[in-house]
């Protein structure tokens, strides 16, 4: 397996990076806001795809960790106005939740695993609704500050303007994408794919199946927590629907649209998800119906995801379980 990219792809990625860096200078605030949401969903979806595409575990409860990261970051920022602490706190607390709930969930597979994750996710959703003193109940947490990015005595950068916070989201998202790419091309990534393809053969090869599943579950929770933590300062408010199962469906749809067995699938799918939705809502109030029809058509027309088109153009066969996701 190789993590190398072709020269043509390297040029395309460099152009995309340049476009991301220049966006606030050439576009209005809404495109900047939209791209931030795309990047947040891309990070969320990358974590989900590590579980689903690489490990073979379909989770319906990732929104729970997304919400834990969002609420933890919000509570920290409301007490200590330091974005660095808020983001770190959101990621760490979501990771701890994922580790604890993952230890219970990875004892099962297939539909039992999916139902367990759904149940845990909805438990977190219920807590967000009912624990009014801590979460604000149905009112949520409001007035979350976009506090300075600061390490006392080292540096302090104001990110109160959305254009400044945009660069924080871009930097964290690119770092998360880079780390995930290194991870899936590491021995850990190979072990997870072996477990996905055949749990029995992986166990006979000496792989501690449950332990590796727990590692994948925790990393996916950390990615969901990072996505949630980046959302709080962007929206300045967090409400219980971020923990609802319908929020868990967003990385599922993004991954299916882009391609499960492709590293870039969740990223491309996240962009499609928001672009399609943004176009539809401009023309009809029944956007959910139209959006659903388009998503179904795309999933049926591209069973391997939109990324499969690029693979075919490059003369590659569609990815199947047991092959090497690039």
């Amino acid at each position: 397996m190789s993590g190398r990219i072709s020269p043509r792809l390297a040029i395309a990625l460099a152009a995309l990076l340049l476009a991301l860096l220049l966006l606030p200078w050439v576009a209005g605030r809404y495109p900047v806001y939209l791209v931030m949401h795309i990047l947040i969903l891309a990070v969320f979806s990358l974590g989900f795809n590590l579980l689903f595409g690489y490990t073979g575990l379909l989770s319906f409860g990732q929104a729970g960790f997304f919400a834990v990261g969002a609420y933890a970051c919000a509570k920290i920022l409301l007490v200590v106005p330091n974005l660095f602490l808020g983001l770190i706190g959101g990621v760490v607390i979501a990771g701890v939740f994922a580790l604890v709930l993952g230890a219970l969930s990875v004892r099962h597979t297939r539909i039992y695993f999916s139902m367990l994750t759904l149940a845990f996710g909805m438990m977190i959703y219920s807590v967000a609704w009912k624990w009014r003193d801590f979460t604000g109940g149905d009112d949520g947490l409001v007035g979350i500050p976009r506090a300075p990015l600061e390490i006392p005595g080292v540096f302090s950068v104001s990110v109160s303007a959305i254009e400044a916070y945009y660069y924080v989201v871009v930097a964290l998202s690119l770092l998360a994408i880079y780390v995930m790419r290194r991870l899936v091309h590491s021995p850990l990534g190979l072990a997870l794919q072996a477990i996905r393809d055949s749990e029995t053969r992986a166990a006979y090869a000496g792989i501690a199946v449950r332990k590796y599943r727990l590692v994948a579950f925790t990393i996916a929770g950390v990615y969901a927590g990072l996505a949630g933590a980046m959302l709080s300062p962007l929206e300045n408010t967090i409400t219980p629907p971020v923990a609802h199962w319908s929020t868990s469906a967003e990385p599922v749809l993004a991954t299916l649209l882009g391609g499960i067995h492709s590293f870039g699938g969740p990223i491309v799918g996240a962009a499609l998800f928001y672009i399609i939705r943004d176009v539809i809502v401009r023309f009809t109030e029944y956007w959910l119906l139209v959006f659903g029809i388009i998503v179904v058509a795309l999933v049926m027309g591209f069973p391997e995801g939109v990324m499969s088109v690029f693979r075919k153009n490059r003369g590659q066969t569609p990815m199947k379980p047991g092959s090497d996701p690039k």
Side-chain angles (χ1 to χ4, degrees), residues 2-26:
S2 170
R4 294 178 182 175
I5 58 177
S6 67
R8 185 181 300 178
L9 180 58
I11 294 172
L13 291 176
L16 179 60
L17 176 60
L18 181 62
L20 282 175
L21 294 177
L22 294 178
L23 185 67
W25 298 88
V26 298

Side-chain angles (χ1 to χ4, degrees), residues 39-48 62-63 66 223-224 227 247-248 251:
L39 290 172
I40 288 171
L41 180 56
V43 171
F44 192 8
S45 303
L46 278 174
F48 167 78
Q62 291 308 102
F66 183 81
Y223 269 68
T247 304
S248 292

Side-chain angles (χ1 to χ4, degrees), residues 49 53 196 259-263 304 311 319-321 324-326:
N49 197 39
R196 175 200 64 193
I260 298 169
H261 300 296
S262 167
F263 176 78
E304 296 291 331
R311 291 187 178 281
M319 302 302 297
K320 301 289 185 185
D324 172 23
K326 301 296 183 186

Side-chain angles (χ1 to χ4, degrees), residues 39-110:
L39 290 172
I40 288 171
L41 180 56
V43 171
F44 192 8
S45 303
L46 278 174
F48 167 78
N49 197 39
L50 180 71
L51 264 184
F52 186 40
Y54 287 87
T55 316
L57 295 172
L58 176 57
S59 171
F60 289 143
Q62 291 308 102
F65 308 118
F66 183 81
V68 169
Y71 273 100
C73 179
K75 292 295 288 187
I76 292 171
L77 288 177
L78 287 169
V79 177
V80 183
N82 184 323
L83 183 62
F84 185 77
L85 286 180
L87 293 172
I88 292 290
V91 170
V92 170
I93 294 173
V96 171
F97 266 72
L99 179 63
V100 174
L101 297 183
L104 302 173
S105 301
V106 299
R107 295 171 182 271
H108 304 277
T109 56
R110 301 185 180 88

Side-chain angles (χ1 to χ4, degrees), residues 48 51 57-65 98 101-125 213 217 220 243-245 248 252:
F48 167 78
L51 264 184
L57 295 172
L58 176 57
S59 171
F60 289 143
Q62 291 308 102
F65 308 118
L101 297 183
L104 302 173
S105 301
V106 299
R107 295 171 182 271
H108 304 277
T109 56
R110 301 185 180 88
I111 189 64
Y112 306 103
F113 171 83
S114 300
M115 290 299 103
L116 264 179
T117 56
L118 176 62
F120 286 134
M122 292 308 290
M123 286 169 61
I124 294 173
Y125 172 69
R213 281 179 173 155
F217 194 95
H244 194 255
W245 66 264
S248 292
V252 178

Side-chain angles (χ1 to χ4, degrees), residues 237-262:
T237 181
I238 286 296
T239 53
V242 295
H244 194 255
W245 66 264
S246 57
T247 304
S248 292
E250 293 184 4
V252 178
L253 285 174
T255 304
L256 289 174
L257 283 172
I260 298 169
H261 300 296
S262 167

